[in-house]
Amino acid sequence: DTAVSQTPKYLVTQMGNDKSIKCEQNLGHDTMYWYKQDSKKFLKIMFSYNNKELIINETVPNRFSPKSPDKAHLNLHINSLELGDSAVYFCASSEGLTLRGEKLFFGSGTQLSVL
Amino acid sequence: SQQGEEDPQALSIQEGENATMNCSYKTSINNLQWYRQNSGRGLVHLILIRSNEREKHSGRLRVTLDTSKKSSSLLITASRAADTASYFCATDAKAAGNKLTFGGGTRVLVKP
């Protein structure tokens, strides 16, 4: 069984559309994350939830809205997609909070292409 | 700017050779981790070293940490073609809040 699974793997869409990426983890972890990897491979954290509570909200446009219906799921909804949103989005989870030296478990990524 | 920056950005070696990459960071850290990313895949955790540790080993991996220089190195010994991947360091720092901050990675190509 895949520990952290996200869907879809590829997402091609037009500018202005709204899209969602889903993520689920079956590790029983308390904390989940969304990271964005740009074309130069830099990974930047976007959001983090701990037990369904938002704990990290980086400087991300309001068009991005995370939703955590339970601690095993963290979805990412993006409104009014723009060309600059094209990137690979990674979901990740950790048992606790990274300040305690927890390691992250990553999904395989969603490659978003906005045309 | 990124907390961790890897050097070199890219590395090409022959199978059997050692690969060394470095990570520098700006602020005092709690822990430093190394991850591997194969092409088109998610990152996989390799090793964690705490701020009070100087060296750790895991199989063919050796990680060092020099907090006075704010740097870490990852050594892969006797490299294999399967080691071809990007390698990222990640730090969690008191000043950075409750998050793990990644560098831009070192792309390693191991030629058979």
Side-chain angles (χ1 to χ4, degrees):
Chain A
D1 282 344
T2 305
V4 181
S5 58
Q6 56 182 107
T7 56
K9 186 163 177 62
Y10 300 99
L11 188 51
V12 181
T13 188
Q14 299 286 332
M15 251 189 340
N17 284 351
D18 303 338
K19 290 294 178 185
S20 292
I21 307 172
K22 296 185 175 181
C23 180
E24 175 182 4
Q25 54 95 3
N26 63 5
L27 298 167
H29 287 170
D30 286 340
T31 310
M32 295 185 72
Y33 310 80
W34 278 109
Y35 277 84
K36 177 180 179 180
Q37 186 172 45
D38 64 23
S39 58
K40 294 184 178 178
K41 302 297 185 185
F42 280 103
L43 265 166
K44 290 191 71 173
I45 190 166
M46 301 173 69
F47 302 103
S48 174
Y49 272 73
N50 180 259
N51 274 317
K52 302 195 297 176
E53 181 184 345
L54 181 66
I55 56 171
I56 294 174
N57 186 354
E58 290 296 283
T59 308
V60 175
N62 291 339
R63 300 182 294 103
F64 290 79
S65 54
K67 285 187 173 50
S68 182
D70 55 62
K71 76 172 193 175
H73 295 84
L74 180 61
N75 303 321
L76 183 65
H77 188 76
I78 315 170
N79 289 328
S80 304
L81 278 155
E82 300 178 357
L83 294 176
D85 297 331
S86 295
V88 182
Y89 292 84
F90 286 97
C91 177
S93 71
S94 66
E95 187 173 345
L97 301 175
T98 55
L99 275 179
R100 293 185 221 148
E102 303 286 345
K103 62 184 182 182
L104 298 187
F105 291 77
F106 281 83
S108 57
T110 295
Q111 186 165 333
L112 172 64
S113 299
V114 182
L115 307 176
Chain B
S1 62
Q2 299 293 319
Q3 160 72 329
E5 293 186 8
E6 287 88 343
D7 171 60
Q9 290 189 338
L11 183 59
S12 180
I13 56 174
Q14 292 294 137
E15 211 165 21
E17 292 180 343
N18 295 342
T20 300
M21 59 211 85
N22 303 297
C23 169
S24 59
Y25 55 90
K26 297 183 174 68
T27 62
S28 295
I29 60 171
N30 300 311
N31 307 283
L32 185 143
Q33 303 182 36
W34 285 91
Y35 286 78
R36 184 187 73 229
Q37 183 181 29
N38 289 90
S39 180
R41 308 298 298 272
L43 281 74
V44 175
H45 179 265
L46 294 176
I47 198 163
L48 178 150
I49 188 164
R50 302 190 186 280
S51 59
N52 61 354
E53 298 175 312
R54 292 296 165 257
E55 188 171 314
K56 281 191 88 167
H57 296 255
S58 177
R60 293 182 296 111
L61 304 180
R62 173 176 167 252
V63 168
T64 63
L65 179 64
D66 187 335
T67 52
S68 67
K69 294 181 180 177
K70 292 188 172 59
S71 69
S72 173
S73 67
L74 171 66
L75 167 67
I76 305 172
T77 60
S79 63
R80 305 166 182 169
D83 295 329
T84 294
S86 291
Y87 293 82
F88 294 84
C89 69
T91 56
D92 69 72
K94 296 177 179 64
N98 199 23
K99 57 190 176 186
L100 199 60
T101 307
F102 287 81
T106 292
R107 282 159 280 289
V108 176
L109 172 64
V110 181
K111 293 180 281 189

